[in-house]
């Protein structure tokens, strides 16, 4: 029982067709459904109906983030814990929010982000047959990451936010940047035994710093860079490595202005392992290990 | 609660110094302790005291395999389930079997393998500092995999064995080779959301086909090949890819005769995903996707 | 002045459409022309009209091999040297043998192989624009190597053959397997400052052991393996490394039975560097560095 | 006959021990000799006595650049051509400038750079045995590139400089950035059939923008980044790709202030291939294909 991993993200886009074109033709996700003002997308190796939802809205920004529960009972369990923690929750029945979406528990986290815990999303299969499959499909278009990976959010009080996600939702702190005053400037937390599923950095409540797609190795980061540059996508950061999480990565922007990341690497972590600490003076290295430079844009631009 | 991952493997070696030299100087593990007839080893990124134990014995073969429990209560929980399933168990207190080893629950699985569930092994830290760590140590010797990954065992009745691991120990079947008669010839199971932590192939009960170390990517497989060949290690299989698990891999033998593997790739799997099926006619591809050739040695040599 | 590199290879195929389908759809070459019984192909980054020519013939085998000359005067120069060495030559005018083919000097080498030196083949451009090009085309089909690389031939007298290519055509010996009797069992020679453009191994005169396409790195070898296995191509050797040349490589067969290779790596070599020597006992490692195993098929099957 | 490749670079350093420590322990070159105020270094796979010479001097900057000639007669040949072009030359006998250095022809190019053509430098062998060598040495320290690759210089009149190197020294133009006024802003030229051995960018005469070491693939670029960052080396550019040359690369500075590069990729080029043209508006992409951003430092800092 418990949360398994990040399930999906809903982002708001002012131009639904442009966003859909970018996420399918450049990022290489697959469209699995449409509603009046929504496009549902999944990565090629994901079995579930969607991991990215584009919702029409006059301005861009985060809709909500979903976490996949292992059992249906997890919804009751976390509803009780959230309510005990003073968080208002709402249950959505199977397909109530959207077709194929599963049953879910919605709430606004104390960090100001709309979230839900979801169970039972429709299985649509990945792009491979279940019998005698090849290791990967050929001739996919665009970056074509196998799956969504993590989300990085901004919050005014990272300490309080981290306590909430740890104590109420059972996330496990893996790394943190501690200010010279002892407060957490940024934190990385996991529920999937990876380096992080959710991270927080100091900023406005409710902000989305970026969300990330998994790619399989460093060469896939380069492949993504080649494809993104070919299509004129705005690349913010050349292929590099994080100090925190050790992951190799690259940042860029979707047409609506959301920062995307392709990420690989990191490590397996057990729940009983102590968190890594980054000092304030080494925050540049924590974020960008090679050049140690964090520009103002990276710290201030979010959606 | 539940099992987290493979914790360790104990193998029997007739020449303790030769085996220790191979596992430290060629494979690049680190010695963390010695007892009269045992050497304890860990991979560089592992936090716990040991993941490979070499035990002196006139003949080579499997000692036992350990699975890491998330909570101490898991020992009681699985003791009850094992006993209900007719499996005799034995509790070993903290440090009773070996210093730093944690508290454990020993049993012989119906497949004839000595196993244990362990909790509380001593944390000794990986090779990196906890504050402002670089992403990896420099100048390690040998292959230096970050961690142990999985074990592949032989059993006379793969169907019954798979049922046991699934029903009693909560492993999740990810892939299987089904004979034309409908019986399982080989199965892959996971507890860590990876492609497999434990696999079974038809053969004698109690047999060890191989155990595998994780490496981070395809280039690390080549690096391992360069190093192993440099040292004259007997390489059985050139770098290749499994159909089942999709992983890239290479097989070779330690000086005592145990088959080792370096493995990378695979995929994330949710517990609600259906298993992949390989037909008997495609078993060659399931094991070796590129040339589809499984030689007799691979199917018959085990320890 | 002098020879620059391997220009092209002509192979004989009993089923022209099947061979063309394999070389375009699986290997990912591009068709640049057709004649009654011929198909002309080039790799994506090659500027010249063709590097592989498929010629209809009841049985498969080598047609001829072409070497690109730097200057038109090289044809006269090598004609004189060849005639002095007792080799009969024939001049073919621009487009005489085939449209776009350039002017050439044909001869049968003492090793029994039809060869030519060619100058002035039609430039058709690679797949990129000449102004502000991206680093590579996107969405190519199949393996899509950037260029042809080298050829490996069989000859009864490797010593005499090597002397001919060195003394008459200015190839430079880079590596050799010396038999215990002091004779050359196999030799590698270059004209392009790479590890080899032409190699000889003991076997029947006039035999083609394999020809190789360049790919850019080890990950491209895996990519080729994924694609070839997907299409059911007969793969002879998993991704591996040669001792001689140090190159990473993989062998497989085209539908007519010619052995193909994808190759990467090797090294830069100056003409004044001494050749590497492999002893007969280490010939296995010279060919396949990792497992050191050369099966009978590899030594006996050629076209 | 002709120039084969870049042979060596001499750079001036105010702290000889610090520079030697950086180039041996961090960059992983090997010291092959010392003179009163000089340290001679080579990369592991180079056969010749040195490719980098550190010379004590109160201020940093370029000493001279050497090009390797194929034959001793090339010295006479280029001396005549240089003198005809109005360039004063000086012959240095074997070992006259430094032990092991070969015979050379010194001159100041019209771009204000001290250069020489050298023949007969002492062969000291690479780090591998000549008989039955492994493909690479194990346990080297630092980045350990196999060889030096190219040099990038500044010149006031890139057009005139490019004409000189093309017409007098037989370099072949492969790529160029053309200003909107038609003049060359930057040019790339080769003598080794690679994407470039020498490049010029508009700036002061005699300036050294950077010199580059070859590494074998994209993963080696990351390996270099890990090692350089570990040692606190000032990294200017994260791993990226050039538009011009297509090469993958990373820039950083030695302790004296010279910009270094690790470079891989590019392409094979024949002398009869037309140059690629980059328009002034796309100069950012020509230099840094991914983000297209050229900061002021990159265009103005040189030595």
């Amino acid at each position: 029982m418990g949360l398994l991993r990040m399930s999906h993200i809903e982002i708001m886009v002012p131009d639904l067709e442009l966003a859909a074109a970018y996420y399918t033709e450049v990022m290489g996700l697959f469209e699995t459904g449409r509603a009046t003002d929504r496009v549902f997308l999944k990565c090629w190796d994901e079995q579930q109906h969607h991991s990215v939802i584009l919702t029409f809205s006059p301005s861009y920004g985060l809709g909500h983030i979903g976490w996949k529960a292992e059992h249906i009972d997890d919804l009751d369990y976390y509803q009780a814990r959230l309510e005990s923690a003073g968080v208002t929750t709402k249950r959505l029945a199977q397909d109530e929010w959207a077709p194929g979406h599963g049953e879910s528990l919605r709430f606004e986290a104390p960090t100001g982000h709309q979230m839900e815990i979801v169970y039972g999303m429709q299985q649509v299969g990945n792009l491979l047959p279940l019998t005698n499959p090849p290791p990967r499909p050929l001739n996919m278009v665009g970056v074509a990451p196998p799956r969504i990976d993590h989300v990085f959010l901004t919050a005014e009080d990272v300490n309080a936010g981290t306590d909430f996600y740890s104590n109420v939702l059972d996330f496990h702190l893996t790394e943190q940047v501690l200010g010279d005053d002892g407060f957490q400037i940024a934190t990385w937390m996991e529920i999937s035994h990876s380096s992080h599923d959710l991270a927080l950095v100091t900023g406005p409540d409710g902000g989305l710093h970026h969300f990330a797609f998994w790619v399989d190795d460093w060469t896939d980061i380069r492949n993504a860079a080649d494809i993104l540059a070919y299509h004129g996508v705005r690349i913010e950061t050349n292929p590099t490595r994080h100090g925190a999480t050790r992951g190799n990565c690259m940042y860029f922007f979707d047409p609506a202005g959301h920062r995307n990341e392709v990420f690989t690497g990191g490590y397996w972590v057990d729940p009983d392992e102590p968190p890594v600490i980054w000092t304030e003076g080494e925050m540049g290295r924590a974020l960008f290990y090679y050049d140690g430079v964090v520009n103002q844009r990276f710290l201030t631009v979010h959606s």
Side-chain angles (χ1 to χ4, degrees), chain A residues 5 7-9 30 32-33 39-43 46-53 64 97-102 116 118 121-122 124 148:
Chain A
R5 60 173 177 84
S7 162
H8 60 271
I9 187 168
F30 294 83
T32 53
V39 177
F40 298 86
L41 304 162
K42 69 179 279 292
C43 299
E46 292 173 330
Q47 302 277 351
Q48 303 204 148
H49 186 270
H50 48 260
S51 58
V52 174
I53 307 117
H64 78 281
W97 184 68
H101 188 67
E116 72 172 22
V118 63
M121 193 185 287
Q122 185 188 347
V124 296
I148 202 164

Side-chain angles (χ1 to χ4, degrees), chain A residues 158-239:
Chain A
V158 170
N159 258 80
T162 303
D163 285 349
F164 166 76
Y165 292 108
S166 302
N167 297 336
V168 180
L169 296 181
D170 298 318
F171 280 79
H172 166 226
L173 179 70
T174 55
E175 310 214 14
Q176 54 186 329
V177 180
L178 290 183
D180 296 336
D181 57 7
F183 279 84
Q184 290 169 321
I185 297 174
T187 58
W188 289 256
M189 291 167 277
E190 61 84 17
I191 49 170
S192 71
H193 306 294
S194 69
S195 62
H196 64 318
D197 297 288
L198 168 63
L200 297 179
V201 66
T202 307
D205 273 352
L208 171 66
H209 188 273
H210 70 263
F211 64 101
F213 297 96
W214 176 265
V215 294
D216 281 332
D217 61 27
W218 173 239
T219 301
D220 284 344
I221 300 274
R222 181 179 64 177
N223 189 45
D226 285 353
I227 291 168
L228 295 167
Y230 186 96
H231 288 290
V233 169
R234 185 153 64 97
I235 293 177
E236 184 181 46
T237 316
N238 277 311

Side-chain angles (χ1 to χ4, degrees), chain A residues 146-161:
Chain A
R147 63 177 196 268
I148 202 164
D149 190 75
H150 69 260
V151 67
F152 204 114
L153 307 174
T154 62
E156 285 183 26
D157 187 336
V158 170
N159 258 80

Side-chain angles (χ1 to χ4, degrees), chain A residues 8 27 76 94 126 140 143 148 153 180 188 193 230 241 244 261 268 276 282 303:
Chain A
H8 60 271
M27 279 307 296
D76 292 339
Q94 185 86 21
N126 64 9
M140 289 186 290
V143 174
I148 202 164
L153 307 174
D180 296 336
W188 289 256
H193 306 294
Y230 186 96
R241 193 196 270 274
E261 183 184 19
W268 171 274
V276 165
E282 287 295 302
S303 41

Side-chain angles (χ1 to χ4, degrees), chain A residues 3 7 59 88 95-96 118 128 132 145 162 195 231-232 282 291 300:
Chain A
L3 304 184
S7 162
S59 63
T88 306
D95 293 348
E96 181 178 342
V118 63
L128 300 174
N132 300 329
T162 303
S195 62
H231 288 290
E282 287 295 302
D291 61 8
T300 55

